[in-house]
Amino acid sequence: MSEQEQQSKPSKSDQGQAMSRRKFLTNSGYAVGGVVLGGVLGYLLPKAKKQPAAQPAPKPNENKNFNEALMFFNQEQYMITQAAVERIFPADDNGPGAKELGVPFFIDHQLAGDWGFNARDYMQPPFYVGEKTQGYQGRLRRREIFYIGLRELQNYSQTKYKKDFPSLTPEEQDAVLTAFQKDEVKLTTISASGFFNLLRSSTLEGVYSDPLYGGNKDMKGWVMREYPGNQMSYTNVIEQKFKVMQPKSLRDHL
């Protein structure tokens, strides 16, 4: 072999460097600062992972109301409340009842917020038994009254009928609620009638409040009363005869 041929033959060091470069290209897919897209080195690159197929968009009837979730009640308390408010405001030929209107969620969300903590009420001692015209004068927050009242509603149902309140017949549920309303149930921590009145007023608020707060679902409570809801103005109809208007919520003004 001539001297010129020996000089042109790559050394072992050069061969090692070449192999290192090839290994680098194979593992990283980069050459001369650019991405190798194909050609001679294309077969050396690892295959790209197959992207998952795009999921079809949900159908309109599959949309969920994510506000219908519990923030204060546990499952048992929610079921008792749902059964109780449905007897206070039941479904009939005029329209849906409290359950369908979302009243249990309305009460749950209110109890989880400032209303449940009596944040805007004066709650400092001394505490005296007030007159009926004065309203509630005690130390317990509304969330505590509901906690005790629902438990006592369940205890009374189990004692009298040997069943949980949600499992009672509508007539039995009415009898239990009437016993609370008339203070026939003697409680030590709260007034039975006081709890019933709070439950009843909360039910009506959930039926007729703006849907923003979780009740009056689809404004059906307003529709039953032919109430126009939150209208921006009545100037265009104030001089006309009575006219049924489609109700509007606060959301409609966005």
Side-chain angles (χ1 to χ4, degrees), residues 162-233:
K162 309 303 180 184
K163 292 185 292 185
D164 294 340
F165 182 81
S167 301
L168 300 178
T169 65
E171 293 74 20
E172 291 171 340
Q173 291 175 343
D174 289 346
V176 172
L177 292 172
T178 301
F180 270 71
Q181 182 184 22
K182 295 181 177 180
D183 272 326
E184 296 174 358
V185 182
K186 303 304 178 183
L187 307 179
T188 57
T189 52
I190 62 173
S191 162
S193 62
F195 167 67
F196 173 83
N197 291 333
L198 181 60
L199 177 63
R200 181 181 180 277
S201 62
S202 302
T203 300
L204 296 179
E205 289 172 10
V207 170
Y208 296 119
S209 64
D210 192 280
L212 165 69
Y213 301 102
N216 191 15
K217 189 173 182 180
D218 297 328
M219 298 183 285
K220 292 180 180 179
W222 290 345
V223 171
M224 286 188 289
R225 305 294 296 181
E226 295 184 348
Y227 177 67
N230 194 290
Q231 301 285 337
M232 292 295 287
S233 174

Side-chain angles (χ1 to χ4, degrees), residues 10-242:
S11 64
K12 292 182 179 180
S13 176
D14 293 337
Q15 292 177 352
Q17 291 177 0
M19 291 299 295
S20 297
R21 286 194 296 269
R22 178 177 296 179
K23 185 176 181 181
F24 170 76
L25 293 173
T26 302
N27 293 338
S28 68
Y30 288 92
V32 198
V35 181
V36 177
L37 300 177
V40 178
L41 294 179
Y43 73 97
L44 296 175
L45 299 179
K47 295 182 178 179
K49 294 182 179 180
K50 186 178 181 180
Q51 296 296 326
Q55 297 296 323
K59 298 179 181 179
N61 59 358
E62 293 178 347
N63 292 335
K64 298 179 180 179
N65 184 353
F66 292 98
N67 286 329
E68 292 185 342
L70 298 181
M71 300 174 65
F72 173 74
F73 290 144
N74 58 32
Q75 292 292 333
E76 181 184 31
Q77 293 167 337
Y78 171 77
M79 296 302 294
I80 298 171
T81 302
Q82 179 177 257
V85 299
E86 184 65 17
R87 296 313 306 157
I88 293 174
F89 196 93
D92 57 20
D93 295 337
N94 295 317
K99 176 182 175 180
E100 184 178 343
L101 290 171
V103 171
F105 291 110
F106 166 84
I107 296 176
D108 171 78
H109 294 179
Q110 292 298 308
L111 290 173
D114 289 346
W115 186 80
F117 284 100
N118 293 64
R120 298 185 179 183
D121 299 335
Y122 184 82
M123 299 294 292
Q124 300 299 321
F127 299 100
Y128 299 103
V129 178
E131 299 295 332
K132 290 185 177 180
T133 56
Q134 292 180 300
Y136 178 68
Q137 300 289 313
R139 68 179 69 242
L140 296 176
R141 268 62 175 175
R142 294 186 185 94
R143 54 174 25 217
E144 296 169 327
I145 295 175
F146 261 89
Y147 181 86
I148 297 171
L150 293 175
R151 182 187 64 198
E152 295 297 344
L153 203 65
Q154 186 82 313
N155 291 340
Y156 183 78
S157 301
Q158 292 171 340
T159 300
K160 187 173 179 63
Y161 297 104
K162 309 303 180 184
K163 292 185 292 185
D164 294 340
F165 182 81
S167 301
L168 300 178
T169 65
E171 293 74 20
E172 291 171 340
Q173 291 175 343
D174 289 346
V176 172
L177 292 172
T178 301
F180 270 71
Q181 182 184 22
K182 295 181 177 180
D183 272 326
E184 296 174 358
V185 182
K186 303 304 178 183
L187 307 179
T188 57
T189 52
I190 62 173
S191 162
S193 62
F195 167 67
F196 173 83
N197 291 333
L198 181 60
L199 177 63
R200 181 181 180 277
S201 62
S202 302
T203 300
L204 296 179
E205 289 172 10
V207 170
Y208 296 119
S209 64
D210 192 280
L212 165 69
Y213 301 102
N216 191 15
K217 189 173 182 180
D218 297 328
M219 298 183 285
K220 292 180 180 179
W222 290 345
V223 171
M224 286 188 289
R225 305 294 296 181
E226 295 184 348
Y227 177 67
N230 194 290
Q231 301 285 337
M232 292 295 287
S233 174
Y234 296 94
T235 55
N236 59 328
V237 296
I238 196 170
E239 299 294 338
Q240 301 177 13
K241 294 183 179 180
F242 177 78

